[in-house]
Amino acid sequence: MTARRPLAVANWKMNGDLSLVEAMASRLNKLGETKAQIVICPSFPFLAACKSQAQGFKVGAQNMSEQDCGAFTGEVSAQMLTGLEIEYVIIGHSERRAIYGEDDSLVAQKFAKALSAGLTPILCVGETIEQREAGDTEAVVSAQVKAVIDTHGVAAFDNAVIAYEPVWAIGTGKTATAEMAQEVHQFIRALVAQFDEVIAQKLPILYGGSVNSSNSQALFAQPDIDGGLVGGASLKVEDFAAICQSF
Ligand code: PEP
C-alpha cells in the first residue's frame, strides 16, 4: 500500500479573528515535527495574516470562484489565492451546497479551476441523514465524486484530497463511528480505483463531522481514513493541537 501523509485540516467557517490566527499559529509553530500535514482554513480576510505566520503548517481557503476575474461582486479567484501563496482550497462543502445552491456541476468547475491554478482542492462529499436512512449513501457519494471524474478525468484526483463529511455529522456532535466512516472511505477509494488504481492509492481521503480530540485517534487509525476536516474543534487551539498529534 502507498504511504499517504495524513492531513489535519481546520475549517473555521465564518468564525475566528486575528487573535485566533495568532494564537493558533503560535501553538502550531511550536508543535515541531508532526506526522500530519496541518492546514488552517480561515475566512478570506485572515488568509494573508495566517500565511505570514505559518511555519509549521499550510494555509487553505474555504471556497473560491469558478471564474477567473471580472464583474463577480463578492467573489475570490484562484489567482488571488495563489497570489497569497495559499496552497489548499475547500471545494463543495455541504454548507456551500445546501445554503448557496452549489451543485455538482459548479463544484466540478471550481475543482478544475483550483487545480489549474496550482491549488490542491479538498472536495467535500457526503450524504444527508435522509439519504443514509434510504440506503443511498454510496449512490450520493459516488455521484459527487463522479461529477469531477466525468468532467475532468480521474487525473484530476492526482493532486487533490477528498473529504467524506456525512452532512448529519457536521456540527451536530454526532460522529460516524470509525467503522461506519471506514466503510465509506473504502468505497470511495475503490470507486476511484476503478478508473486508476495508482491515483486511488495516493489519494488522501479525510473524514469530517464532529471530529474532536476524543474520537480522532480511533477515526485516524482506520486504514482508509487519512486525516480529518475539522470544524468546531479547530477553533479551540489546544483541542486542534491534540487532534494534530493524534495520528
Ligand atoms: C466541517 O465544517 O467541515 C465540519 C466537519 O464541522 P464540525 O467538525 O464542526 O462537524
Side-chain angles (χ1 to χ4, degrees):
M1 199 201 294
T2 317
R4 296 179 291 272
R5 186 172 185 202
L7 262 172
V9 182
N11 175 17
W12 285 0
K13 313 193 188 196
M14 200 169 71
N15 296 299
D17 53 19
L18 271 184
S19 65
L20 182 61
V21 169
E22 278 156 21
M24 188 65 82
S26 131
R27 181 70 181 90
L28 296 181
N29 289 340
K30 279 191 241 138
L31 272 187
E33 276 294 298
T34 49
K35 253 193 174 173
Q37 173 64 67
I38 301 168
V39 183
I40 301 294
C41 303
S43 296
F44 289 130
F46 307 118
L47 283 170
C50 195
K51 180 69 194 172
S52 73
Q53 294 175 57
Q55 289 156 22
F57 62 94
K58 299 204 185 280
V59 181
Q62 298 172 17
N63 180 32
M64 52 163 263
S65 173
E66 77 286 7
Q67 304 289 344
D68 286 322
C69 62
F72 302 101
T73 302
E75 292 293 291
V76 170
S77 72
Q79 254 69 38
M80 292 171 183
L81 299 177
T82 53
L84 292 176
E85 297 178 13
I86 300 304
E87 286 149 302
Y88 289 83
V89 60
I90 299 171
I91 299 287
H93 190 279
S94 64
E95 288 150 17
R96 301 290 324 166
R97 293 178 190 259
I99 306 170
Y100 300 100
E102 294 192 8
D103 60 12
D104 280 344
S105 149
L106 178 61
V107 168
Q109 284 178 59
K110 290 187 176 198
F111 187 100
K113 190 62 74 179
L115 270 184
S116 65
L119 291 157
T120 301
I122 302 171
L123 175 73
C124 298
V125 299
E127 80 287 2
T128 61
I129 192 63
E130 292 78 16
Q131 290 165 333
R132 174 162 281 266
E133 285 170 355
D136 290 340
T137 299
E138 291 187 354
V140 169
V141 166
S142 166
Q144 290 170 330
V145 172
K146 278 197 189 151
V148 171
I149 297 180
D150 290 349
T151 338
H152 306 295
V154 70
F157 284 111
D158 206 15
N159 179 30
V161 176
I162 291 180
Y164 167 59
E165 299 206 299
V167 178
W168 49 270
I170 297 179
T172 58
K174 289 185 200 151
T175 325
T177 63
E179 293 71 28
M180 276 161 86
Q182 164 61 23
E183 209 177 295
V184 183
H185 281 234
Q186 193 174 15
F187 169 78
I188 294 171
R189 198 174 309 285
L191 173 70
V192 177
Q194 286 172 19
F195 297 86
D196 191 307
E197 178 68 38
V198 176
I199 290 176
Q201 288 307 323
K202 266 177 45 185
L203 178 66
I205 307 178
L206 313 183
Y207 169 77
S210 298
V211 173
N212 58 45
S213 52
S214 311
N215 59 28
S216 55
Q217 208 163 5
L219 286 161
F220 300 163
Q222 297 296 316
D224 288 293
I225 301 185
D226 304 310
L229 178 53
V230 187
S234 74
L235 295 166
K236 297 174 203 138
V237 173
E238 284 313 319
D239 285 15
F240 189 63
I243 291 170
C244 293
Q245 288 171 307
S246 65
F247 290 92

